[in-house]
Amino acid sequence: MRKDLGFFAFFLCCFSSIAQKSIVVNGKIVTEKLVPIESATVYLIHPKDSSVVEYTITDKNGLFKLQIKPISQNVILKISGQGYRDFSKNLEKLTQNMDLGTLKLLEYENKLLEVVIKNEAPPVRVKKDTLEYNASSFKIRPDANVEALLRQLPGVTIDADKKIKVNGKEVNQILVNGKPFFGEDGKVALQNLPAEIIKKIQVSDTKTKEQEFTKEASASNNSTINLTIEKEKDKGYFGKIMGGYGSSERYESSALLSYFKEKRRISFLASSNNINATGFSMDEVFDNMGGGRNSGSRAPVIGRGPGIIKSNLIGLNYADEWFKGSKFNGNYYFNNSNSENNNRTTELTLLPTGSLLSESVSKSNNDSNKHNADFNLEYDITPSTKILISPKVEIGSTTATNNYFRNTTDENGQLVNTTDSYNVNESDNSNFKNYINLFTKGKRKGRFFAINFFNENSKNDASSIIESSTKYAQGSNPDDIRNQNVKTSNKKDYYTSSIRYSEPVTDSLSFNFSLKTDWEKTSDDKKTFDRNNAGMNLIDSLSNYNFSNRFQVNPKVGFSINKKKFFFSLHTGTYFVKAQNHALYENVATDLNKNYIFPDATFNLNYRFNKSKAIYLFYERWFTIPKDFQILPVNNLDNPLMTRIGNPDLKASTSNTVYFTFSDYDYQSNSGFYLYGNLVFNNNQIVSASKYNSAGQQIITYDNVSGTSNSSLGSEWSKSIKKELNTYGFRFGTRVMYTLDKGFTNGELYTAKMLSLIPYMQLSYDYGEFLSIKPSYEFAFNDTRYNNSSISSASNTTHNFKVEMTNFIWKKWVLGNDFGYTYNSNLSGPYKKDFYLWNTSLSYKFADDKFTLKAKVYDLLNQNQSTSRTITPTSVVDSENTVLKRYIMFSLQYKFQNFATKKTN
């Protein structure tokens, strides 16, 4: 406790330095006609090296304020606005407050003639639909990666899960020179590209390829980051190679090599470890160590799940422009993983009267091999016609073994049943996806025609050995003993196409017409053989074949209005659906065909009050038709403790979704506020209806309920304060979620009202390039109230506290510490409620910083664990899985780079 108080005292002492004396330079920027200019960049630079002293952005009234320490040397005031001539003014010693009054910017006669001198480019430039940062204006360590650069940018936040937000909007796509770099999420680029080769960071609303080509406004509430590389450094190579070995036979290794030559980029990556690093990271402090600041790096993903995972990865990325008007980007990965896990679970099943308590243990081992290949080809057939082709192939195999034991007792503690099983499953799967898009624009602005086609074809063949023994202590059911070989073949073929036409009525109003068709066929063929018989006889009651066909047509009409600050679109139409379902079970064929008609509607509203304040609203009406197993009255007896049968009277369900966001970022104060919420209301929702007999067997069918819903509301406020070498970051937020769920248990309707409240905070303090401290805390309260259940309520709370600290000592040494504490209340029986996780790392750079020698300790206190409580409408589940325990590892990393630079006369 004293250590915690000491830390916060230190943090508050650092914060007190904000009160140091400073001066203010302020003024107002207007046009020749005295109209205020919003979002002009105002900044001070030193005349000797053009380094940025301070900068800001004008508000909607054209006002600006620069708060700086007194300067005894002369400086230059620079003003830059999109579409205006740059303004420059020499300022003598700034030792007291200065009001510059009203300053006028002259418009360009031809805005295309605008030129920005490289060394004097503004730190931030706000364009019509793009926010652009000049990378050279932000000071970072010489060996920093792109992620470190992004953390210095105003309005950019990166949380513990590596989720990036810019001015409150989440970033869902990161590109390098307009192309993906090992996946569009860009995690590999963030942590491995050297920041020194980046020229600009461009942020814009995420658009589809169609919107990019047709110049339509974005209907997305996400942002895209595009990293542009310095032209002087677009020819060369860079890379990192790392290997490490430690106690408990833990190891890790990774490599990244990338070659650039103008439009061509070839990159290779590889990774191998047994420390649960399921993606590619090479974090600068902890490398691939999981459970620390590296936990949010998920691209490319090898595998996920509980237990201890050994993984291997090889990947290749190639981007080029083969001929004029073409863009090509392709990826290939080979993934291999093995996971081992021991699980212990306690599950309380809630019934209208009484309950069932199940305790189980299992031991599993899974092996997986997977090949992934994809490429994207864009070709401009003519200046007004573009085609895109994007195929993707995935081929893999898995082998899984599982030992499982479970016993179930009733509310009086009397044994109901036991299950003991050993299963081995081997499967081969393949998946092929392909997108083909053709866009063409008319001579009139806003007129375009688009054809889109997508197909997905997948197949999974599996062979399983099942040895199980289920014994019933109550009821009249005979014991169920199985020794079987189950062979399954699952196939899916899906094709969809759409035609869309847009006709402009005015410069801002367009009418849209579209026609979409979908066809899907799925089939499941299962044959179960008795291994006790030498002839491997087929067991009819455990074998079945079923398939379903779905064909739907959706004509739709709508309009969109696109103004400078306002975008609105409304589309409505009707889905005509024909569904065919067939099953063959015990030589009896069952067919059930249904037709559906659903009206649908969507609208988007995006209103931008100014460059930094906007509101987004989205509405959609959607439907879900029953799946074949939910509607066909055919028994499924795969599980001795669970029988499933469909309901032929099941109706389709409909849902109405409303989602909104409000964002406001103030460049003057480097602070932002973000509010978001959603509501989903369901009608005729498809739910399971369960009945339990005296032997503890569950018989499941399906039914419809109305009036269910789920909703959430969240807000977040962030602020950054920079005073010379001191940078302070504050981030406070909260999320509230509410769900009303309904279903049937033992023929009676139940309701469950689930409420979650999650406030959180993240603080940060950076002292130049030498020290970084990032404490965070999250509290979660979950409460569920039941109606018509054996208990009236269930609740739990969790506390998560974490501190990340990085010290850069003498420019050669780096000390990293990640300390966390987790507490989970109400865990039952033997499950431990809390634990500490402390990871530490010390590294030393030598040989011109090309080599890094590192020592790391994971789980220094040897307390790591994986326990959880899950509360559902019908159960309370406590669970524990295998986790990594304490180990120490030593590693060596080698970094290299060589970029060609243009010769100067």
Side-chain angles (χ1 to χ4, degrees):
M1 183 67 180
R2 290 180 179 178
K3 291 182 179 179
D4 292 341
L5 292 174
F7 165 76
F8 283 108
F10 169 74
F11 192 84
L12 291 174
C13 288
C14 295
F15 181 74
S16 67
S17 66
I18 297 176
Q20 294 177 357
K21 183 179 179 181
S22 60
I23 64 171
V24 173
V25 178
N26 65 288
K28 183 175 183 179
I29 311 299
V30 298
T31 67
E32 292 180 277
K33 298 179 180 179
L34 302 181
V35 177
I37 299 177
E38 182 185 2
S39 300
T41 306
V42 183
Y43 57 108
L44 297 172
I45 64 172
H46 290 292
K48 290 184 178 181
D49 56 5
S50 297
S51 60
V52 177
V53 178
E54 186 59 274
Y55 67 93
T56 188
I57 304 292
T58 58
D59 62 16
K60 63 181 180 180
N61 298 315
L63 300 174
F64 70 88
K65 181 173 69 173
L66 292 165
Q67 190 169 354
I68 60 173
K69 298 289 289 182
I71 301 175
S72 58
Q73 299 88 16
N74 294 344
V75 294
I76 301 174
L77 174 74
K78 303 284 292 185
I79 303 174
S80 177
Q82 181 69 12
Y84 298 91
R85 297 177 184 269
D86 285 352
F87 176 90
S88 180
K89 181 180 178 66
N90 292 322
L91 301 179
E92 295 185 358
K93 302 176 182 180
L94 291 175
T95 56
Q96 59 185 357
N97 294 342
M98 179 178 292
D99 186 350
L100 297 173
T102 300
L103 303 174
K104 296 180 181 179
L105 294 188
L106 303 179
E107 290 190 37
Y108 278 111
E109 294 180 4
N110 184 349
K111 296 181 181 180
L112 296 177
L113 297 178
E114 181 179 7
V115 177
V116 179
I117 300 174
K118 176 190 171 185
N119 290 334
E120 296 183 2
V124 181
R125 182 183 289 267
V126 181
K127 298 184 177 180
K128 179 181 179 182
D129 56 359
T130 303
L131 179 63
E132 187 174 87
Y133 300 92
N134 178 37
S136 62
S137 299
F138 301 91
K139 293 184 178 180
I140 51 176
R141 299 186 312 276
D143 62 337
N145 58 18
V146 172
E147 181 180 328
L149 173 60
L150 291 183
R151 291 182 183 275
Q152 299 300 315
L153 306 182
V156 177
T157 60
I158 304 178
D159 65 15
D161 293 325
K162 301 297 174 73
K163 183 186 295 182
I164 304 171
K165 289 185 178 180
V166 181
N167 299 341
K169 279 192 175 184
E170 184 174 339
V171 175
N172 67 338
Q173 184 174 248
I174 299 175
L175 307 175
V176 178
N177 281 350
K179 304 182 186 73
F181 188 76
F182 285 110
E184 291 187 346
D185 68 356
K187 296 290 176 62
V188 175
L190 286 185
Q191 298 182 350
N192 294 280
L193 281 180
E196 65 182 90
I197 71 172
I198 303 301
K199 182 179 182 180
K200 296 179 180 178
I201 303 96
Q202 299 168 330
V203 182
S204 59
D205 292 340
T206 300
K207 290 186 176 183
T208 65
K209 293 295 183 181
E210 182 177 316
Q211 290 168 342
E212 289 178 3
F213 183 73
T214 60
K215 307 300 182 183
E216 282 187 291
S218 170
S220 169
N221 193 44
N222 295 310
S223 293
T224 292
I225 289 178
N226 181 45
L227 306 169
T228 66
I229 296 178
E230 291 270 12
K231 288 186 177 180
E232 293 81 0
K233 296 182 179 180
D234 64 358
K235 183 178 180 181
Y237 59 85
F238 71 90
K240 295 195 292 186
I241 301 174
M242 185 275 295
Y245 189 80
S247 61
S248 304
E249 298 184 343
R250 299 297 170 202
Y251 65 87
E252 64 171 333
S253 62
S254 54
L256 174 69
L257 311 172
S258 193
Y259 168 77
F260 291 80
K261 186 178 180 181
E262 298 176 348
K263 302 294 184 180
R264 179 175 300 165
R265 184 181 71 229
I266 303 173
S267 303
F268 168 83
L269 61 77
S271 158
S272 180
N273 69 83
N274 63 353
I275 56 172
N276 285 23
T278 59
F280 186 88
S281 167
M282 296 178 72
D283 178 82
E284 61 179 357
V285 178
F286 285 107
D287 297 323
N288 291 310
M289 181 184 287
R293 65 190 70 186
N294 191 28
S295 59
S297 179
R298 300 185 291 267
V301 172
I302 294 176
R304 294 197 187 105
I308 297 178
I309 302 173
K310 302 175 185 178
S311 58
N312 304 287
L313 165 72
I314 295 176
L316 183 68
N317 172 259
Y318 176 72
D320 206 345
E321 295 184 12
W322 291 332
F323 44 86
K324 185 178 180 180
S326 71
K327 290 182 180 180
F328 175 84
N329 184 79
N331 297 284
Y332 167 77
Y333 301 112
F334 170 72
N335 305 326
N336 165 262
S337 67
N338 171 267
S339 64
E340 295 181 352
N341 184 50
N342 293 330
N343 172 270
R344 176 175 54 173
T345 297
T346 301
E347 178 177 2
L348 178 67
T349 300
L350 307 176
L351 305 175
T353 56
S355 61
L356 296 174
L357 181 65
S358 299
E359 297 178 313
S360 65
V361 293
S362 67
K363 182 177 182 179
S364 62
N365 185 293
N366 297 308
D367 282 296
S368 174
N369 294 283
K370 189 179 295 183
H371 298 267
N372 293 270
D374 66 84
F375 75 82
N376 301 276
L377 175 63
E378 298 183 27
Y379 176 55
D380 295 325
I381 301 174
T382 68
S384 60
T385 304
K386 177 192 284 286
I387 188 170
L388 293 86
I389 303 175
S390 304
K392 181 177 182 180
V393 179
E394 181 180 297
I395 300 174
S397 62
T398 60
T399 300
T401 62
N402 185 54
N403 277 293
Y404 178 79
F405 175 79
R406 184 173 95 160
N407 68 69
T408 301
T409 57
D410 59 22
E411 65 275 11
N412 298 315
Q414 299 298 313
L415 182 66
V416 176
N417 58 59
T418 62
T419 295
D420 191 357
S421 67
Y422 173 75
N423 299 332
V424 179
N425 179 274
E426 296 179 350
S427 65
D428 295 298
N429 57 78
S430 62
N431 183 275
F432 173 71
K433 298 179 181 179
N434 187 36
Y435 296 85
I436 301 177
N437 310 99
L438 178 66
F439 313 130
T440 182
K441 293 185 291 188
K443 292 182 179 181
R444 185 176 178 183
K445 182 181 178 181
R447 178 182 294 161
F448 66 86
F449 182 74
I451 299 176
N452 301 290
F453 174 81
F454 169 74
N455 68 279
E456 179 180 4
N457 308 95
S458 61
K459 183 180 180 181
N460 181 281
D461 294 323
S463 178
S464 303
I465 302 298
I466 297 176
E467 298 177 3
S468 68
S469 173
T470 302
K471 298 182 178 180
Y472 303 99
Q474 297 185 26
S476 58
N477 288 36
D479 295 341
D480 190 310
I481 311 299
R482 301 187 180 189
N483 185 8
Q484 301 163 351
N485 180 202
V486 181
K487 297 182 179 294
T488 60
S489 180
N490 303 319
K491 297 180 181 179
K492 175 184 175 181
D493 295 293
Y494 175 68
Y495 300 90
T496 180
S497 62
S498 65
I499 300 174
R500 182 168 175 242
Y501 174 72
S502 177
E503 177 63 31
V505 179
T506 67
D507 290 341
S508 59
L509 174 63
S510 296
F511 282 98
N512 303 287
F513 309 89
S514 66
L515 178 66
K516 183 180 180 182
T517 62
D518 296 85
W519 181 81
E520 181 181 50
K521 179 181 179 181
T522 61
S523 65
D524 301 299
D525 187 5
K526 183 185 69 175
K527 293 182 173 62
T528 302
F529 300 91
D530 187 356
R531 296 179 69 233
N532 291 316
N533 188 299
M536 294 284 286
N537 291 339
L538 182 70
I539 305 176
D540 289 335
S541 62
L542 297 176
S543 303
N544 55 56
Y545 172 79
N546 60 281
F547 76 82
S548 64
N549 281 332
R550 175 178 60 85
F551 178 75
Q552 63 188 40
V553 178
N554 176 219
K556 188 175 289 188
V557 64
F559 68 92
S560 60
I561 303 174
N562 189 6
K563 294 283 190 179
K564 183 178 180 180
K565 293 186 175 182
F566 176 81
F567 173 78
F568 176 80
S569 69
L570 172 64
H571 295 86
T572 183
T574 304
Y575 277 89
F576 301 91
V577 185
K578 181 178 182 179
Q580 297 175 309
N581 300 282
H582 169 82
L584 181 63
Y585 180 66
E586 293 188 326
N587 296 319
V588 176
T590 303
D591 292 281
L592 186 58
N593 302 326
K594 288 199 173 186
N595 298 322
Y596 305 91
I597 299 178
F598 300 101
D600 80 302
T602 61
F603 76 74
N604 285 278
L605 169 65
N606 197 332
Y607 183 77
R608 189 173 294 277
F609 301 93
N610 51 50
K611 292 290 185 180
S612 61
K613 184 185 298 183
I615 188 170
Y616 174 83
L617 183 64
F618 171 81
Y619 167 81
E620 180 180 36
R621 187 179 191 273
W622 190 239
F623 68 92
T624 303
I625 66 173
K627 298 184 181 297
D628 53 357
F629 67 86
Q630 295 174 327
I631 202 170
L632 288 170
V634 177
N635 285 328
N636 185 311
L637 309 176
D638 289 350
N639 189 332
L641 292 175
M642 182 186 299
T643 298
R644 189 179 67 199
I645 185 170
N647 176 9
D649 298 323
L650 202 60
K651 301 176 183 177
S653 66
T654 58
S655 62
N656 294 272
T657 301
V658 179
Y659 175 77
F660 80 92
T661 64
F662 171 77
S663 58
D664 183 12
Y665 186 83
D666 183 6
Y667 289 97
Q668 294 279 348
S669 61
N670 283 334
S671 64
F673 176 74
Y674 189 64
L675 179 70
Y676 60 93
N678 80 290
L679 170 65
V680 180
F681 183 81
N682 304 300
N683 187 38
N684 286 328
Q685 183 182 9
I686 299 173
V687 299
S688 61
S690 299
K691 290 185 178 181
Y692 292 83
N693 61 22
S694 58
Q697 277 187 316
Q698 183 182 11
I699 297 91
I700 297 178
T701 187
Y702 301 91
D703 212 330
N704 296 105
V705 296
S706 292
T708 61
S709 64
N710 61 79
S711 57
S712 66
L713 181 66
S715 63
E716 183 175 288
W717 177 82
S718 62
K719 183 177 179 61
S720 176
I721 301 174
K722 189 172 183 179
K723 295 294 180 181
E724 295 185 326
L725 294 178
N726 302 288
T727 303
Y728 308 85
F730 307 89
R731 187 179 178 198
F732 301 93
T734 186
R735 301 189 301 273
V736 181
M737 292 168 283
Y738 177 79
T739 300
L740 173 59
D741 194 276
K742 297 180 181 180
F744 295 92
T745 302
N746 286 351
E748 297 187 28
L749 177 69
Y750 71 81
T751 61
K753 300 176 182 179
M754 294 171 280
L755 175 68
S756 296
L757 174 63
I758 308 173
Y760 61 90
M761 71 172 186
Q762 294 182 6
L763 308 176
S764 67
Y765 170 71
D766 292 275
Y767 182 74
E769 303 171 4
F770 312 105
L771 174 66
S772 176
I773 304 174
K774 293 181 174 64
S776 62
Y777 171 74
E778 180 179 280
F779 169 79
F781 170 74
N782 301 284
D783 181 72
T784 302
R785 301 299 173 97
Y786 298 98
N787 182 27
N788 210 10
S789 179
S790 55
I791 63 174
S792 60
S793 65
S795 64
N796 78 308
T797 60
T798 61
H799 300 265
N800 286 282
F801 172 74
K802 183 178 180 181
V803 178
E804 294 181 3
M805 183 180 294
T806 308
N807 301 79
F808 299 92
I809 310 169
W810 305 309
K811 296 184 179 181
K812 298 291 183 180
W813 294 86
V814 179
L815 174 65
N817 283 282
D818 284 0
F819 177 81
Y821 172 73
T822 300
Y823 174 84
N824 194 335
S825 73
N826 294 339
L827 288 174
S828 61
Y831 302 98
K832 194 171 183 293
K833 295 183 178 181
D834 66 340
F835 71 97
Y836 298 90
L837 181 62
W838 183 7
N839 303 325
T840 187
S841 166
L842 179 64
S843 64
Y844 173 70
K845 297 180 180 180
F846 59 97
D848 295 328
D849 293 343
K850 292 181 179 179
F851 287 90
T852 302
L853 182 64
K854 192 175 298 183
K856 300 168 291 186
V857 181
Y858 178 81
D859 188 19
L860 184 64
L861 303 178
N862 202 30
Q863 289 198 9
N864 192 27
Q865 66 180 31
S866 173
T867 56
S868 64
R869 163 161 285 201
T870 304
I871 301 175
T872 76
T874 57
S875 65
V876 179
V877 182
D878 293 334
S879 184
E880 181 180 45
N881 293 290
T882 301
V883 294
L884 279 173
K885 289 290 189 177
R886 180 171 56 197
Y887 66 85
I888 183 171
M889 183 175 291
F890 299 92
S891 65
L892 180 65
Q893 177 181 275
Y894 172 61
K895 292 176 61 175
F896 56 91
Q897 65 181 46
N898 186 354
F899 297 105
T901 57
K902 292 183 178 180
K903 295 181 179 180
T904 57
N905 294 325

